Amino acid sequence: MTPVTNGRLLFNAYPDGLPQPGKATRYDGSQTIDPDTVPLNGGFLIKTLVLSIDPFIVAKMRPKTPGASLLAYTIGEPIEDYGVGVVLRSENPAIKAGDHVYGVQGGAYPFAEYVIANDATQYRVLEKKDKLHWSVYVGILGMPGQTAYCGWKEFSKAKKGDVVFVSGGAGPVGSLVIQLAKMDGCKVIASAGSNEKVAFMKKIGADVPFNYKTENTADILKKEGGIDIYWDNVGGTTLEAALDSAKLGAKFIECGMISAFTSDPLGGTRNLFTIIPKQITMNGLSVSLLIPKYEEEFYRVVSDLIASGKIQYGEEVIPSLELGGEALLAVLTGTNKAKVVIEVAKE
Amino acid sequence: MTPVTNGRLLFNAYPDGLPQPGKATRYDGSQTIDPDTVPLNGGFLIKTLVLSIDPFIVAKMRPKTPGASLLAYTIGEPIEDYGVGVVLRSENPAIKAGDHVYGVQGGAYPFAEYVIANDATQYRVLEKKDKLHWSVYVGILGMPGQTAYCGWKEFSKAKKGDVVFVSGGAGPVGSLVIQLAKMDGCKVIASAGSNEKVAFMKKIGADVPFNYKTENTADILKKEGGIDIYWDNVGGTTLEAALDSAKLGAKFIECGMISAFTSDPLGGTRNLFTIIPKQITMNGLSVSLLIPKYEEEFYRVVSDLIASGKIQYGEEVIPSLELGGEALLAVLTGTNKAKVVIEVAKE
């Protein structure tokens, strides 16, 4: 009966370099909504609980291009990623009040405290496992976890004893890759950008965790005798070092190239030629294309592994949507501690 | 009984940029050999008939690096590629005088009029098909043809109606790829660097042959609506244009990046990131790794296709080993007309 604030994190301007809070993004508290009476027109009203901050956000901060694979944000509208919320009211028979939903496919859940949705196929109704916070469902049980799981199963062709290198190994994708690789009997080299992250990678099983800011990636890979599988979350000179250290027939899984956003975006991969004499297979990984094949298996297998403690995860909870811009910057520059989620509301 | 000249094309110095004849390579006519009496020590003496000029030659003109996938040449010794010769004498039971042999595995047949060999496993005794000149066995029936055949069969996963782009389409590899793609029911876009080459690509079936020097590759690919398969012989900006025009799930077969030798070698692939959202699979193709799987099938199938005229090929015969340095430069800069072979001797 009483309108409440519907806080939103808006896309404010195309970034020049890194997306600075207050410039590229802007928190807006001017919109109000009455959850009890707002018309749903056959849809459903979601109260947002948690939102994910993932690097792909910055790739959508650009002018709209016809045919582009990632939809660009609209200036003045909320940025989008994945989120979990609780349904307050529903006029859609597939969704009922009290349901917890994960969405939106393609990472289009708007950064707003309240969301009116109408396409139930864009959301998954979650079954909550005991003891797991909803934030887990945008992390290791959400898109990042699916990325790791689907990509590893589809492309790694891992054999026992393979040497695997994971960059960004402390992140939500990389940390699951490390654990899946260990389960397959591989030796795992893993890099991250702080000693705290290195300690986390060691804890979850990495054999050779290292801080790429204080150690030389190429030297480490050389010392370990080359790699059979490279899981790339960063691109740039790390990818070049991996190409130089790849063994014959190596598999490269290209999951992210975050350095393209934080380093010189004009710098290309200078030794891509290496894939020819070494007959390397390089697979670009777009999780949305693999989810139909792996979704049910993923939720079944990984939920159990997490609930039983066989797989561990890290999480850094940001307590307010107003801090979303700072959280994005931290993820892009690596000053975050672990997978960043925004707790928008408690239940 | 009488010694004869054993003309050789020597590796003379590391090239600074393109390998200039007389500098990077040098013809030497000072060595003599007596074919009737030269000691074989259990080996066999080959009189060279034809030699192949392939772009990989320039990649071997560098200091020796331990563990490198391509063996570097030795300064003062002949450069090497593939060749066909006739055996004059043999002390090896696996090879007999009069045999025509193709070798050496890995492209290590020395550029010399006479060669004493001892490892029969490095040579294939050829059965000559009617009407085919021996030069064909270093071209479409040699390493370049094997590269096209093995790579296409192993990596293209071609479906009827797929749009295929072949760069370097008039060369010995590209021209067979065009014809294999047409046999699989694909639409073929193909680029080369002269109108004469464009006419040849049209003759062998390319649907959209074009001269990349007078037309813009990116524009052509865009106009044709994107590509499902890219066969890359050149790398550089052509690869970048192909990435930009690739459809979701496209296959990239990386066969050569000749532009790395002729353009700025420090320029990298700037839009490799594209392989992630488009989930592109990129396969480096090193034919020597695939030959064990396809060799017998290749000789059986492709010999018949050539003999029956169902597959066509182009050839530019250089009449003397002394012109080998110029021939290499022509291949690297694209001023050759078709597959370059050196006719060292007639039978």
Side-chain angles (χ1 to χ4, degrees), chain A residues 229-265:
Chain A
I229 298 172
Y230 175 43
W231 185 288
D232 190 9
N233 286 314
V234 305
T237 54
T238 309
L239 171 57
E240 291 179 346
L243 282 165
D244 284 340
S245 288
K247 295 184 194 171
L248 211 61
K251 315 290 176 214
F252 275 48
I253 302 166
E254 294 301 320
C255 177
M257 295 192 185
I258 198 170
S259 66
F261 303 119
T262 55
S263 311
D264 178 6

Side-chain angles (χ1 to χ4, degrees), chain A residues 3 78 83 103 128 132 143 159 162 168 198 215 225 227 239 257 335:
Chain A
K128 193 182 182 183
L132 298 183
M143 182 278 288
K159 298 183 304 293
D162 276 354
V198 170
E215 300 201 67
I227 56 178
L239 171 57
M257 295 192 185
T335 58

Side-chain angles (χ1 to χ4, degrees), chain A residues 48-102:
Chain A
T48 304
L49 299 176
V50 290
L51 289 166
S52 183
I53 296 280
D54 296 291
F56 73 75
I57 288 176
V58 74
K60 294 185 166 190
M61 293 182 159
R62 52 168 173 71
K64 292 176 193 294
T65 325
S69 48
L70 277 180
L71 291 175
Y73 295 137
T74 303
I75 286 181
E77 294 292 323
I79 66 165
E80 301 166 344
D81 196 313
Y82 290 87
V84 170
V86 58
V87 176
L88 300 182
R89 292 164 51 215
S90 176
E91 296 172 356
N92 183 314
I95 301 280
K96 60 182 194 298
D99 278 351
H100 288 80
V101 291
Y102 166 74

Side-chain angles (χ1 to χ4, degrees), chain A residues 17 257 259-269, chain B residues 269-273:
Chain A
M257 295 192 185
S259 66
F261 303 119
T262 55
S263 311
D264 178 6
L266 290 178
T269 308
Chain B
T269 308
R270 290 166 293 185
N271 60 348
L272 184 61
F273 178 80

Side-chain angles (χ1 to χ4, degrees), chain A residues 69 155 239 248 254-257 261 266 268-270 272-273 275-277 279-287 289-290, chain B residues 69 155 239 248 254-257 261 266 268-270 272-273 275-277 279-287 289-290:
Chain A
S69 48
F155 298 128
L239 171 57
L248 211 61
E254 294 301 320
C255 177
M257 295 192 185
F261 303 119
L266 290 178
T269 308
R270 289 165 294 184
L272 184 61
F273 178 81
I275 76 171
I276 297 178
Q279 198 150 295
I280 293 169
T281 300
M282 194 177 264
N283 285 106
L285 166 55
S286 180
V287 65
L289 300 176
L290 293 174
Chain B
S69 48
F155 298 127
L239 172 56
L248 211 60
E254 294 301 321
C255 177
M257 296 192 184
F261 303 119
L266 289 178
T269 308
R270 290 166 293 185
L272 184 61
F273 178 80
I275 76 170
I276 297 178
Q279 198 150 297
I280 293 168
T281 300
M282 195 176 263
N283 284 106
L285 165 55
S286 181
V287 66
L289 300 175
L290 293 174

Side-chain angles (χ1 to χ4, degrees), chain B residues 108-129:
Chain B
Y109 192 109
F111 274 43
E113 291 183 276
Y114 294 91
V115 174
I116 298 168
N118 49 42
D119 184 355
T121 67
Q122 298 294 305
Y123 292 84
R124 180 183 174 92
V125 177
L126 298 173
E127 290 178 56
K128 192 182 181 184
K129 289 268 168 183

Side-chain angles (χ1 to χ4, degrees), chain A residues 152 156-165 180-189 207 224-229 247:
Chain A
W152 185 259
S156 75
K157 297 180 173 62
K159 298 183 304 293
K160 197 174 170 182
D162 276 354
V163 178
V164 179
F165 173 41
L180 292 171
K182 288 308 299 176
M183 287 172 143
D184 281 347
C186 302
K187 171 179 167 181
V188 178
I189 308 166
D207 301 283
E224 298 300 328
I227 56 178
D228 299 288
I229 298 172
K247 295 184 194 171

